[in-house]
Amino acid sequence: GNTESVSDLLEYHDLLFFDISLSHRALSVADLCSIAMDEIDNPYIQFFRSTVLDCVGQCEPNLVGISVVAINQVVPAFTLARLLKSQLRDTHVVLGGPWCSHIHRQLSRHLKRFPYIDSVIIFEGENTLIQLCRALMGNGELSRIPNLLTPQPRGVLCSEVAVGTDINELPTPDF
């Protein structure tokens, strides 16, 4: 039988990717705030500046979505969000994905510590993203969009959670 435990797999991951993923820096809010701005220890800052920012900046998007599937993507995602927001102040930066859904309660308590993130989509995001786009164009209110965390002056707005989108009702993706 397979005798590997979850802790063995995490240890293996850390041995291979500790310096690259910086996932150990995503375990606390203070560490995450710090590493997202750390010009010396965060290798993603220079990488994103040299490869991503100019390309995205030329498009002048109204919205940029960043998917965070697992903890090893947290530091790069938050770093990219910060850099994008510093260059494109009027662009709405939204995070989503399984990691955001998994820790949404903790994230909602600390979201205001990350002023470069305008909202977070939790759980199923297909309809939420469409409604968010419409609201940003003036056709709806953020407070009425399900599965959305949005920082507000007095806290974080946590909208109702809606699940169960029928995949057959969704349009075919246009890649």
Side-chain angles (χ1 to χ4, degrees):
N2 188 351
T3 59
E4 289 183 22
S5 70
V6 171
S7 63
D8 291 338
L9 291 174
L10 291 174
E11 185 177 320
Y12 177 72
H13 173 271
D14 285 344
L15 285 173
L16 288 178
F17 303 111
F18 187 81
D19 291 337
I20 297 170
S21 77
L22 300 173
S23 56
H24 61 288
R25 300 292 301 268
L27 298 175
S28 84
V29 173
D31 257 2
L32 188 52
C33 287
S34 172
I35 194 65
M37 294 194 269
D38 191 328
E39 297 280 338
I40 295 169
D41 290 333
N42 186 335
Y44 299 106
I45 294 174
Q46 184 57 36
F47 174 75
F48 290 143
R49 282 186 179 142
S50 66
T51 61
V52 176
L53 293 181
D54 285 342
C55 180
V56 174
Q58 290 173 10
C59 298
E60 298 179 6
N62 295 324
L63 179 141
V64 172
I66 302 171
S67 180
V68 186
V69 175
I71 195 167
N72 63 328
Q73 297 174 335
V74 173
V75 171
F78 277 62
T79 301
L80 180 58
R82 184 186 69 80
L83 292 170
L84 286 169
K85 197 64 171 182
S86 69
Q87 181 175 320
L88 303 165
R89 295 193 197 312
D90 295 330
T91 298
H92 189 97
V93 177
V94 59
L95 265 58
W99 180 82
C100 297
S101 299
H102 182 70
I103 67 146
H104 73 278
R105 286 185 180 90
Q106 298 93 326
L107 191 56
S108 67
R109 288 194 302 267
H110 301 286
L111 192 55
K112 290 187 65 106
R113 300 270 310 265
F114 306 99
Y116 41 85
I117 297 172
D118 296 303
S119 60
V120 176
I121 295 174
I122 59 173
F123 304 113
E124 295 185 18
E126 292 81 4
N127 287 322
T128 302
L129 185 58
I130 291 169
Q131 291 179 49
L132 177 59
C133 291
R134 289 179 181 145
L136 294 174
M137 292 187 306
N139 299 323
E141 298 176 33
L142 293 178
S143 63
R144 296 183 177 265
I145 301 173
N147 300 350
L148 193 67
L149 306 176
T150 310
Q152 303 288 311
R154 293 187 158 183
V156 174
L157 172 67
C158 300
S159 67
E160 70 174 283
V161 174
V163 293
T165 303
D166 182 356
I167 197 164
N168 294 316
E169 293 179 14
L170 299 174
T172 303
D174 181 2
F175 297 104

